[in-house]
PDB file of all heavy atoms in Angstrom:
ATOM      1  N   VAL A 380      76.214  92.394  92.654  1.00 97.00           N
ATOM      2  CA  VAL A 380      77.667  92.717  92.785  1.00 97.00           C
ATOM      3  C   VAL A 380      77.869  94.175  92.251  1.00 97.00           C
ATOM      4  O   VAL A 380      78.546  94.969  92.957  1.00 97.00           O
ATOM      5  CB  VAL A 380      78.531  91.714  91.927  1.00 97.00           C
ATOM      6  CG1 VAL A 380      79.957  92.057  92.128  1.00 97.00           C
ATOM      7  CG2 VAL A 380      78.165  90.296  92.331  1.00 97.00           C
ATOM      8  N   VAL A 381      77.293  94.461  91.103  1.00 96.00           N
ATOM      9  CA  VAL A 381      77.497  95.816  90.505  1.00 96.00           C
ATOM     10  C   VAL A 381      76.979  96.871  91.470  1.00 96.00           C
ATOM     11  O   VAL A 381      77.673  97.843  91.731  1.00 96.00           O
ATOM     12  CB  VAL A 381      76.689  95.871  89.134  1.00 96.00           C
ATOM     13  CG1 VAL A 381      76.793  97.272  88.603  1.00 96.00           C
ATOM     14  CG2 VAL A 381      77.244  94.869  88.158  1.00 96.00           C
ATOM     15  N   ASN A 382      75.808  96.639  92.058  1.00 95.00           N
ATOM     16  CA  ASN A 382      75.162  97.663  92.905  1.00 95.00           C
ATOM     17  C   ASN A 382      75.921  97.873  94.182  1.00 95.00           C
ATOM     18  O   ASN A 382      75.922  98.968  94.716  1.00 95.00           O
ATOM     19  CB  ASN A 382      73.772  97.189  93.258  1.00 95.00           C
ATOM     20  CG  ASN A 382      72.791  97.746  92.302  1.00 95.00           C
ATOM     21  OD1 ASN A 382      73.149  97.902  91.132  1.00 95.00           O
ATOM     22  ND2 ASN A 382      71.567  98.014  92.690  1.00 95.00           N
ATOM     23  N   LEU A 383      76.573  96.863  94.769  1.00 96.00           N
ATOM     24  CA  LEU A 383      77.345  97.094  95.964  1.00 96.00           C
ATOM     25  C   LEU A 383      78.392  98.206  95.739  1.00 96.00           C
ATOM     26  O   LEU A 383      78.617  99.028  96.600  1.00 96.00           O
ATOM     27  CB  LEU A 383      77.987  95.795  96.476  1.00 96.00           C
ATOM     28  CG  LEU A 383      78.831  96.061  97.754  1.00 96.00           C
ATOM     29  CD1 LEU A 383      77.911  96.361  98.910  1.00 96.00           C
ATOM     30  CD2 LEU A 383      79.757  94.904  98.102  1.00 96.00           C
ATOM     31  N   PHE A 384      78.962  98.190  94.509  1.00 95.00           N
ATOM     32  CA  PHE A 384      80.036  99.140  94.224  1.00 95.00           C
ATOM     33  C   PHE A 384      79.459 100.474  93.741  1.00 95.00           C
ATOM     34  O   PHE A 384      79.969 101.542  94.038  1.00 95.00           O
ATOM     35  CB  PHE A 384      81.053  98.596  93.248  1.00 95.00           C
ATOM     36  CG  PHE A 384      81.847  97.506  93.840  1.00 95.00           C
ATOM     37  CD1 PHE A 384      81.593  96.123  93.474  1.00 95.00           C
ATOM     38  CD2 PHE A 384      82.825  97.726  94.750  1.00 95.00           C
ATOM     39  CE1 PHE A 384      82.343  95.124  94.060  1.00 95.00           C
ATOM     40  CE2 PHE A 384      83.508  96.696  95.306  1.00 95.00           C
ATOM     41  CZ  PHE A 384      83.317  95.435  94.999  1.00 95.00           C
ATOM     42  N   LEU A 385      78.371 100.412  92.947  1.00 93.00           N
ATOM     43  CA  LEU A 385      77.947 101.603  92.263  1.00 93.00           C
ATOM     44  C   LEU A 385      76.634 102.184  92.741  1.00 93.00           C
ATOM     45  O   LEU A 385      76.170 103.250  92.332  1.00 93.00           O
ATOM     46  CB  LEU A 385      77.776 101.309  90.745  1.00 93.00           C
ATOM     47  CG  LEU A 385      78.997 100.820  90.050  1.00 93.00           C
ATOM     48  CD1 LEU A 385      78.690 100.601  88.533  1.00 93.00           C
ATOM     49  CD2 LEU A 385      80.213 101.723  90.184  1.00 93.00           C
ATOM     50  N   GLY A 386      75.969 101.474  93.629  1.00 92.00           N
ATOM     51  CA  GLY A 386      74.640 101.920  94.085  1.00 92.00           C
ATOM     52  C   GLY A 386      74.611 103.313  94.684  1.00 92.00           C
ATOM     53  O   GLY A 386      75.613 103.774  95.170  1.00 92.00           O
ATOM     54  N   ASN A 387      73.426 103.942  94.653  1.00 87.00           N
ATOM     55  CA  ASN A 387      73.331 105.352  95.116  1.00 87.00           C
ATOM     56  C   ASN A 387      73.187 105.357  96.673  1.00 87.00           C
ATOM     57  O   ASN A 387      73.907 106.146  97.326  1.00 87.00           O
ATOM     58  CB  ASN A 387      72.021 105.974  94.564  1.00 87.00           C
ATOM     59  CG  ASN A 387      72.212 106.193  93.103  1.00 87.00           C
ATOM     60  OD1 ASN A 387      73.289 106.472  92.575  1.00 87.00           O
ATOM     61  ND2 ASN A 387      71.066 106.062  92.379  1.00 87.00           N
ATOM     62  N   THR A 388      72.275 104.587  97.148  1.00 92.00           N
ATOM     63  CA  THR A 388      71.937 104.647  98.591  1.00 92.00           C
ATOM     64  C   THR A 388      72.486 103.376  99.216  1.00 92.00           C
ATOM     65  O   THR A 388      72.704 102.359  98.552  1.00 92.00           O
ATOM     66  CB  THR A 388      70.495 104.721  98.770  1.00 92.00           C
ATOM     67  OG1 THR A 388      69.902 103.562  98.250  1.00 92.00           O
ATOM     68  CG2 THR A 388      69.846 105.947  98.129  1.00 92.00           C
ATOM     69  N   ARG A 389      72.616 103.398 100.537  1.00 94.00           N
ATOM     70  CA  ARG A 389      73.077 102.222 101.266  1.00 94.00           C
ATOM     71  C   ARG A 389      72.094 101.091 101.083  1.00 94.00           C
ATOM     72  O   ARG A 389      72.409  99.931 100.836  1.00 94.00           O
ATOM     73  CB  ARG A 389      73.121 102.597 102.730  1.00 94.00           C
ATOM     74  CG  ARG A 389      73.707 101.461 103.625  1.00 94.00           C
ATOM     75  CD  ARG A 389      73.738 101.992 105.070  1.00 94.00           C
ATOM     76  NE  ARG A 389      73.798 100.883 106.004  1.00 94.00           N
ATOM     77  CZ  ARG A 389      74.890 100.338 106.428  1.00 94.00           C
ATOM     78  NH1 ARG A 389      76.089 100.803 106.113  1.00 94.00           N
ATOM     79  NH2 ARG A 389      74.864  99.323 107.296  1.00 94.00           N
ATOM     80  N   GLU A 390      70.803 101.441 100.989  1.00 94.00           N
ATOM     81  CA  GLU A 390      69.776 100.434 100.861  1.00 94.00           C
ATOM     82  C   GLU A 390      69.884  99.739  99.488  1.00 94.00           C
ATOM     83  O   GLU A 390      69.882  98.529  99.331  1.00 94.00           O
ATOM     84  CB  GLU A 390      68.405 101.052 100.932  1.00 94.00           C
ATOM     85  CG  GLU A 390      67.277 100.109 101.091  1.00 94.00           C
ATOM     86  CD  GLU A 390      65.937 100.821 101.165  1.00 94.00           C
ATOM     87  OE1 GLU A 390      65.877 102.017 101.498  1.00 94.00           O
ATOM     88  OE2 GLU A 390      64.928 100.092 100.918  1.00 94.00           O
ATOM     89  N   ASP A 391      70.131 100.604  98.471  1.00 93.00           N
ATOM     90  CA  ASP A 391      70.227 100.045  97.078  1.00 93.00           C
ATOM     91  C   ASP A 391      71.535  99.179  96.950  1.00 93.00           C
ATOM     92  O   ASP A 391      71.473  98.195  96.277  1.00 93.00           O
ATOM     93  CB  ASP A 391      70.264 101.212  96.135  1.00 93.00           C
ATOM     94  CG  ASP A 391      70.026 100.813  94.703  1.00 93.00           C
ATOM     95  OD1 ASP A 391      69.215  99.852  94.500  1.00 93.00           O
ATOM     96  OD2 ASP A 391      70.628 101.424  93.805  1.00 93.00           O
TER      97      ASP A 391
END
Side-chain angles (χ1 to χ4, degrees):
V380 183
V381 175
N382 269 30
L383 178 69
F384 291 106
L385 303 182
N387 293 325
T388 60
R389 183 178 160 93
E390 192 181 342
D391 195 34

